[in-house]
Amino acid sequence: MQVTITKPIEDAINSVPGLLVVRSTTSRGSAEISLFFDWSVDMFRTLQLTDAALARVSQSLPATAHITTNRLTFATFPILGYALTADDRGTETIPQTRLWEIATYDLKPPLNRVNGVSTVLVQGGKVPEFHIVPNLARLQAANVNPARIGECDPGIQHH
């Protein structure tokens, strides 16, 4: 599949103007190739150019190969994006870690509960991290094994 179907099709469609990204998934008996174009292209014309490139390569594909093309739009897969930003020119700035926490803990759960919402993804920001430098003398005085520091205490709630 990869050699006789996917690669020849990818090579043929790479000449279509405005093409930015090609992603393909090849499995036994099938190949799915997704094309991502620049936002400024006329998609009706681009679909015609893609179909023409596929028609040229189809003659060299095995006789059992069947190619179908579909133009997907946001009406097919509606997507809505939100951006959280903080003005870093002022004296009070909101750290990227705080923006990530707001998106993850304050916004994502209620958006996930909206009827018709399939998936909510948080992208960007910075996941909060902690750097801990243990005081070995105090750990020994408290009879705490330093090797067990990373273990979770069931009595402590974690986010």
Side-chain angles (χ1 to χ4, degrees):
M1 282 300 295
Q2 180 71 35
V3 173
T4 61
I5 306 284
T6 306
K7 181 75 168 106
I9 290 175
E10 287 177 345
D11 290 344
I13 57 180
N14 272 325
S15 64
V16 177
L19 181 62
L20 297 176
V21 177
V22 176
R23 291 191 187 134
S24 58
T25 305
T26 304
S27 60
R28 186 179 307 205
S30 71
E32 180 177 316
I33 302 171
S34 299
L35 310 177
F36 298 87
F37 292 91
D38 185 270
W39 284 100
S40 64
V41 300
D42 175 358
M43 283 309 300
F44 293 105
R45 171 123 172 84
T46 301
L47 182 58
Q48 291 173 338
L49 294 170
T50 302
D51 284 341
L54 291 170
R56 285 189 300 274
V57 76
S58 67
Q59 299 165 6
S60 65
L61 299 177
T64 56
H66 300 285
I67 301 173
T68 57
T69 58
N70 297 301
R71 184 179 69 92
L72 302 179
T73 65
F74 285 123
T76 308
F77 297 105
I79 297 172
L80 178 64
Y82 293 100
L84 297 180
T85 60
D87 184 2
D88 60 358
R89 294 172 289 175
T91 56
E92 288 188 42
T93 60
I94 299 174
Q96 291 292 310
T97 53
R98 181 64 187 126
L99 292 177
W100 182 90
E101 289 174 332
I102 291 169
T104 301
Y105 300 122
D106 298 338
L107 297 176
K108 183 179 176 179
L111 289 172
N112 266 328
R113 291 189 295 271
V114 172
N115 189 23
V117 171
S118 171
T119 305
V120 177
L121 299 173
V122 175
Q123 297 177 318
K126 292 184 180 173
V127 178
E129 296 179 0
F130 300 94
H131 180 80
I132 300 171
V133 179
N135 182 323
L136 295 178
R138 291 184 73 183
L139 287 173
Q140 287 176 342
N143 201 24
V144 174
N145 181 349
R148 298 194 64 197
I149 290 177
E151 295 178 10
C152 291
D153 182 339
I156 299 175
Q157 291 183 348
H158 299 276
H159 289 284

